Amino acid sequence: THKKKKSITSSKDVCGYPLSIFFIVVNEFCERFSYYGMRAVLVLYFKHFLQWDDDLATSIYHTFVALCYLTPILGAIVADSWLGKFKTIVYLSIVYTIGQVAMAVSAVHDITDSNRDGTPDNMTFHVALSMVGLFLIALGTGGIKPCVAAFGGDQFSEHQDKQRRTFFSVFYLCINGGSLLSTIITPILRGQECGIYSQQKCYSLAFGVPAALMVVALVVFIVGSGMYYKAEPEGNIMLDVCKCIGFAINNRYRHRSNQYPRRQHWMDWAEEKYDKLLIAQIKMVLKVLFLYIPLPMFWTLFDQKGSRWTLQATTMNGYFGKLVIQPDQMQIFNPILILTLVPIMDSVIYPLIKKCGFNFTPLKRMTVGMFLAAMAFVCAALVQVEIDKTLPVFPSASQSQLKLLNMGSSAVTVNLPGNESLTLNAAQVCLCNVIFSQTQDLTCKPGQGNNEIRFVNGMNMPVNVTTSAVDLGLIEPFYYSTYSTIKNGETKFSLLSGSQSCEYIKDFGFGGSYTFFIPSTFVFGPDCQDSITVVEDIEPNSVHMALQIPQYFFITAGEVMFSVTGLEFSYSQAPSNMKAVLQAGWLFTVAIGNFIVLIVAEIAKLPNKWAEYVLFASLLVLVCIIFSTMAYFYTYIDPSEIEDQFSKKVDEDEDDKDKREKAEIKMVRRDSAESYDDSYKQSNM
């Protein structure tokens, strides 16, 4: 302890805070930016770069998040029993950085795009490298998670309690600040076009910037090395807890016959080997861990805002006036609402409830938080119903799609076997689902909010169509171009045929598909804009992204009441030396919650997304009822009082021992004195 005080007081203070703290705060901000920035675009990378379907993209996303919350247990054990916090943070940050770089490299399509068509030719390479990268990131971010905050707390001396509390508040703000900024910036980077041979969505830049921020985080942390107080590893309490529980279970199993008397609690079977105080502390921890059993279902719903909800946003309209919101940017509402709701809850809502005479205990708050999360998924289901109304009807498994185009200057009547006769006016397109024919056409709505367009040339001369982003090439007479991808916003098309030219302007929304028909009567010139016929093959996204705001509000309000209160409750109910054990248990519930997403999605296999949202909401309401019942029978405790009772018992036992030892000494002295007197008398006699 003396050594610790000396090393801390020797470091410089700035405004009453150790200078080393500023390096730790900057490190945390950069690390959180790196993690949340990469995670914001991850599910879209799976779907649109690796070409996975929604279910596989969601499954791998949640597997990754689950790993990120399993590895903190490993990080805590390594730091406490082997390397210490500083070395653990440095070594695992290096692993973390390598993982981020691997993700950035895996998203460079030109590496394996030998035919230069914009699509990787060796997808196995990109999948393998990205999976290695994600594993290293999960190991790194999870491993340092339990160490950084605790390492920051170690830098304060005993007289800096106030500063230490402020540090943890700033630390929490850094987490949300990094999350907020990265969720705004990385989707913008993803939306850019980049590439050596062909221009594609820039996932490499969206992963590259978080990788660069992780390098900055590592460098900043190492630069402050000389100023840190670095506590030596003193053994891991989690290992002691596991060993004690293991011994109790084993001992109980060995004495399972009726000839051995029952004990009040099954942990009492560890008394033969372990201290009674440790056993009492483990009992307190187990009591809280039992309450944790229903909690993973909350995280099952909560973490889907980065997967299912992001995919939902890709089918919505992102125009907020002149501002355009990308689908993966909708997640910014979570950190914004957290920073808004936490002070409102603490300073307005909770005191108001208290004034009304209602005892709003932590467990009641957590129950309400779970219910609010369920309501968020009801909102998501209602939004999905509205989206489904706007989605195109594609041919079923027994049907094909036939598109009829009248390129002539007069109306045409078409008779199809088994269908009513159709009249096509000049320069008109008809889309029908028929049983006998087949066509190569779009079979799904364009992804990432992009638009698919093609031109049909109805003239008797070739036409070249280009834009600043895409060259549709030369379209032969009475032929069509292949579909090309166009971003939302205004696009100018240049139509060229010999020395004649024309400029055509079209403002695109999100997720539409269009066929532009150049009729046989088309005339090049300044008035050509009105001569081109536009056919809307697939309606653009018409449901506005603003409809997702209520579900983000409910899920964030639920998070504030559930997560913040849960951490506070766990801290208050944990013994002084076992706060980390309950922290690990709390993070473990997050991991289990993400695994539940995979299990439920695989078992249910519901065809409609809205039905899946309702299923998750129903499961959480059921779990909410179970948790409220468990909470009703829970008795709040004061761990310090229980620990004091054991300390008093130990003191009393020691006092009794001292008294017995003193009595024995007196007895010895008295016996020796009496024997001396007897011998003296005998000699005199």
Side-chain angles (χ1 to χ4, degrees), residues 101-357:
V101 171
M103 284 300 296
V105 173
S106 76
V108 179
H109 65 276
D110 291 305
I111 293 176
T112 63
D113 185 14
S114 55
N115 60 3
R116 301 184 182 183
D117 64 348
T119 305
D121 297 325
N122 184 7
M123 197 60 80
T124 305
F125 167 81
H126 296 276
V127 171
L129 189 59
S130 61
M131 292 304 101
V132 169
L134 287 177
F135 176 76
L136 295 178
I137 291 168
L139 192 62
T141 188
I144 67 174
K145 194 184 290 287
C147 301
V148 180
F151 186 70
D154 288 346
Q155 307 309 307
F156 295 89
S157 54
E158 292 175 1
H159 67 277
Q160 292 178 310
D161 285 339
K162 184 181 177 183
Q163 288 89 338
R164 185 188 282 110
R165 286 195 295 272
T166 308
F167 161 73
F168 284 116
S169 298
V170 173
F171 194 82
Y172 186 73
L173 284 174
C174 283
I175 292 171
N176 286 284
S179 169
L180 177 61
L181 275 179
S182 62
T183 310
I184 294 171
I185 293 170
T186 50
I188 295 173
L189 299 176
R190 174 195 63 79
Q192 305 305 308
E193 301 280 336
C194 65
I196 302 170
Y197 306 122
S198 61
Q199 299 292 301
Q200 300 295 328
K201 291 292 182 186
C202 208
Y203 287 100
S204 54
L205 185 62
F207 290 141
V209 169
L213 262 291
M214 196 56 225
V215 172
V216 172
L218 178 59
V219 170
V220 167
F221 187 74
I222 292 173
V223 165
S225 175
M227 304 175 196
Y228 300 139
Y229 163 70
K230 302 164 189 172
E232 293 296 321
E234 298 177 358
N236 193 291
I237 189 67
M238 278 196 285
L239 289 177
D240 294 337
V241 169
C242 292
K243 286 178 182 176
C244 185
I245 291 173
F247 179 80
I249 293 170
N250 185 46
N251 198 29
R252 174 70 184 90
Y253 180 75
R254 285 191 291 110
H255 299 87
R256 61 187 180 278
S257 64
N258 294 330
Q259 66 183 31
Y260 297 101
R262 283 181 168 273
R263 301 193 183 183
Q264 192 174 2
H265 191 280
W266 63 269
M267 273 305 301
D268 293 334
W269 288 94
E271 287 180 352
E272 283 85 344
K273 187 177 179 181
Y274 291 91
D275 184 58
K276 286 187 177 181
L277 175 60
L278 176 65
I279 293 169
Q281 289 169 331
I282 292 174
K283 285 179 184 177
M284 289 184 255
V285 168
L286 291 175
K287 194 178 177 186
V288 179
L289 288 178
F290 176 71
L291 271 182
Y292 281 2
I293 292 172
L295 303 191
M297 187 51 72
F298 173 87
W299 301 114
T300 299
L301 275 69
F302 179 78
D303 280 326
Q304 287 190 62
K305 71 183 190 304
S307 57
R308 289 292 197 212
W309 287 12
T310 299
L311 293 171
Q312 185 185 62
T314 62
T315 59
M316 302 177 79
N317 180 2
Y319 280 111
F320 286 76
K322 290 186 177 180
L323 182 67
V324 178
I325 298 292
Q326 298 296 328
D328 34 358
Q329 282 181 318
M330 280 301 291
Q331 296 175 59
I332 63 172
F333 283 102
N334 180 244
I336 288 172
L337 287 168
I338 283 178
L339 296 173
T340 308
L341 288 175
V342 167
I344 290 174
M345 290 284 192
D346 288 339
S347 58
V348 179
I349 305 298
Y350 294 152
L352 199 62
I353 292 172
K354 192 175 181 181
K355 277 189 176 181
C356 294

Side-chain angles (χ1 to χ4, degrees), residues 31-42:
E31 188 274 325
R32 290 289 87 187
F33 185 105
S34 177
Y35 174 72
Y36 284 110
M38 178 275 305
R39 189 171 137 175
V41 300
L42 188 59

Side-chain angles (χ1 to χ4, degrees), residues 305-553:
K305 71 183 190 304
S307 57
R308 289 292 197 212
W309 287 12
T310 299
L311 293 171
Q312 185 185 62
T314 62
T315 59
M316 302 177 79
N317 180 2
Y319 280 111
F320 286 76
K322 290 186 177 180
L323 182 67
V324 178
I325 298 292
Q326 298 296 328
D328 34 358
Q329 282 181 318
M330 280 301 291
Q331 296 175 59
I332 63 172
F333 283 102
N334 180 244
I336 288 172
L337 287 168
I338 283 178
L339 296 173
T340 308
L341 288 175
V342 167
I344 290 174
M345 290 284 192
D346 288 339
S347 58
V348 179
I349 305 298
Y350 294 152
L352 199 62
I353 292 172
K354 192 175 181 181
K355 277 189 176 181
C356 294
F358 184 69
N359 185 20
F360 203 32
T361 61
L363 291 178
K364 287 177 183 175
R365 292 182 198 176
M366 291 173 71
T367 305
V368 173
M370 294 169 86
F371 182 76
L372 289 174
M375 291 304 97
F377 266 64
V378 172
C379 291
L382 294 174
V383 170
Q384 191 63 47
V385 168
E386 290 302 308
I387 293 170
D388 289 346
K389 291 176 184 176
T390 68
L391 294 177
V393 179
F394 291 107
S396 66
S398 61
Q399 293 178 317
S400 295
Q401 200 174 71
L402 177 68
K403 194 168 286 185
L404 305 173
L405 294 88
N406 181 5
M407 295 186 178
S409 56
S410 57
V412 174
T413 301
V414 181
N415 291 306
L416 297 172
N419 292 269
E420 294 181 7
S421 61
L422 301 167
T423 300
L424 284 175
N425 294 324
Q428 185 182 347
V429 177
C430 174
L431 186 66
C432 341
N433 287 338
V434 295
I435 296 175
F436 60 84
S437 75
Q438 203 168 9
T439 182
Q440 293 295 321
D441 218 327
L442 287 178
T443 56
C444 63
K445 196 170 177 66
Q448 304 187 73
N450 290 323
N451 300 276
E452 297 290 337
I453 63 109
R454 67 178 176 181
F455 276 77
V456 177
N457 182 10
M459 297 193 297
N460 57 5
M461 56 183 175
V463 178
N464 190 58
V465 182
T466 60
T467 72
S468 57
V470 179
D471 184 0
L472 282 78
L474 189 69
I475 308 171
E476 297 296 332
F478 308 110
Y479 205 66
Y480 58 89
S481 67
T482 57
Y483 276 104
S484 296
T485 302
I486 298 290
K487 291 171 66 176
N488 63 286
E490 191 175 88
T491 301
K492 184 187 290 185
F493 296 92
S494 296
L495 283 70
L496 302 170
S497 183
S499 60
Q500 303 178 91
S501 66
C502 164
E503 286 194 343
Y504 175 77
I505 299 172
K506 169 72 176 172
D507 193 12
F508 292 98
F510 293 84
S513 174
Y514 304 87
T515 296
F516 296 95
F517 185 50
I518 306 170
S520 58
T521 55
F522 182 81
V523 178
F524 286 92
D527 299 326
C528 66
Q529 176 85 20
D530 299 327
S531 302
I532 295 177
T533 303
V534 183
V535 179
E536 198 175 81
D537 302 332
I538 296 175
E539 182 186 345
N541 303 345
S542 56
V543 179
H544 203 275
M545 279 188 200
L547 287 181
Q548 278 197 324
I549 294 175
Q551 66 203 58
Y552 273 99
F553 175 80

